[in-house]
Amino acid sequence: AMTSKPVIGLIGTGKMSSGQGRLFSSHGFSTFIGSRDQSKAMALAAELGNGACGGSHLEAILASDIIFLNLHPGEMTNAFLESHRASLAGKMLVEIAASYYYPAQFHPPSPHCSSLTWDKQLLNDESVSWATTFKSMGADSIGNNVQQPIEVCGDERTKKAIIQILSACGWEPLDCGGVDDAPLLEPKGPKRRKHPRIEEWDAEHGLHKEHR
């Protein structure tokens, strides 16, 4: 059951998971890191402190309400979804990969212009609620809590949870619509269109990494 603060699962032990882990655990969210290599997950959790836990992919899924997929887009994400299909039923999933920063083999296949619509179609489970955020954010900005406007879109349940989490961390989440609006949030993607608030922020601060 959902408590007032959802338990957050982070899949992977790279920069994004450690940045998000730092941000979320320091704002009172229970955080569970999942890795194919449990010892790596446990090491990252120990480094984060704040009660963070580490374990296998499956343990992270079972322990968490909302799960951030901090994985390479394409094959690695697809393999994760396929192998954990049954346990992911009913969960909230957050897809964060900025696919168009990667070489072409990682780009969503036509007709998709977003890794969110691609992943959702691949899992094809109506009980799973999907959303996306952090597309235009570097891991350092997240881990160092560089509070700023951030685009969010997706299915209502997960989108609301992300907005709750990011607001609690002092960020400014921008509701950019549903799953079908995800192509607008893909940095360097063919349909990218920045939210006006992001344009305004960039003009002032030049922080979003698409500008670097």
Side-chain angles (χ1 to χ4, degrees), residues 29-83:
F29 289 94
S30 298
T31 308
F32 200 114
I33 317 284
S35 175
R36 283 174 302 190
D37 179 346
Q38 293 188 37
S39 62
K40 277 189 179 171
M42 291 165 84
L44 177 54
E47 191 188 308
L48 292 172
N50 295 319
C53 299
S56 66
H57 281 165
L58 183 60
E59 287 170 329
I61 293 167
L62 297 176
S64 306
D65 301 304
I66 184 167
I67 298 157
F68 284 72
L69 305 177
N70 296 321
L71 299 168
H72 272 62
E75 216 168 287
M76 190 184 274
T77 297
N78 299 357
F80 173 83
L81 295 174
E82 285 298 351
S83 54

Side-chain angles (χ1 to χ4, degrees), residues 13-160:
T13 54
K15 279 184 169 173
M16 282 306 266
S17 280
S18 65
Q20 292 166 17
R22 251 191 13 247
L23 178 66
F24 299 148
S25 68
S26 65
H27 285 84
F29 289 94
S30 298
T31 308
F32 200 114
I33 317 284
S35 175
R36 283 174 302 190
D37 179 346
Q38 293 188 37
S39 62
K40 277 189 179 171
M42 291 165 84
L44 177 54
E47 191 188 308
L48 292 172
N50 295 319
C53 299
S56 66
H57 281 165
L58 183 60
E59 287 170 329
I61 293 167
L62 297 176
S64 306
D65 301 304
I66 184 167
I67 298 157
F68 284 72
L69 305 177
N70 296 321
L71 299 168
H72 272 62
E75 216 168 287
M76 190 184 274
T77 297
N78 299 357
F80 173 83
L81 295 174
E82 285 298 351
S83 54
H84 297 291
R85 191 171 276 285
S87 344
L88 291 169
K91 296 287 180 182
M92 295 186 280
L93 297 184
V94 187
E95 189 282 312
I96 62 116
S99 306
Y100 294 97
Y101 273 100
Y102 292 85
Q105 76 259 32
F106 295 103
H107 296 183
S110 175
H112 297 283
C113 296
S114 162
S115 35
L116 178 61
T117 60
W118 181 22
D119 290 357
K120 186 178 163 107
Q121 185 185 54
L122 187 93
L123 191 63
N124 193 23
D125 181 344
E126 284 305 306
S127 76
V128 174
S129 175
W130 282 91
T132 190
T133 192
F134 288 144
K135 286 275 182 180
S136 59
M137 275 294 102
D140 291 345
S141 299
I142 298 169
N144 297 328
N145 196 16
V146 182
Q147 298 171 339
Q148 58 191 288
I150 184 75
E151 294 160 309
V152 185
C153 79
D155 294 322
E156 209 55 34
R157 181 163 64 107
T158 303
K159 181 171 68 174
K160 275 189 176 145

Side-chain angles (χ1 to χ4, degrees), residues 181-199:
D181 297 299
L184 304 177
L185 273 64
E186 284 287 351
K188 295 191 178 178
K191 300 194 172 169
R192 174 65 170 136
R193 196 171 74 229
K194 287 186 185 179
H195 188 286
R197 178 75 183 100
I198 299 282
E199 296 278 16

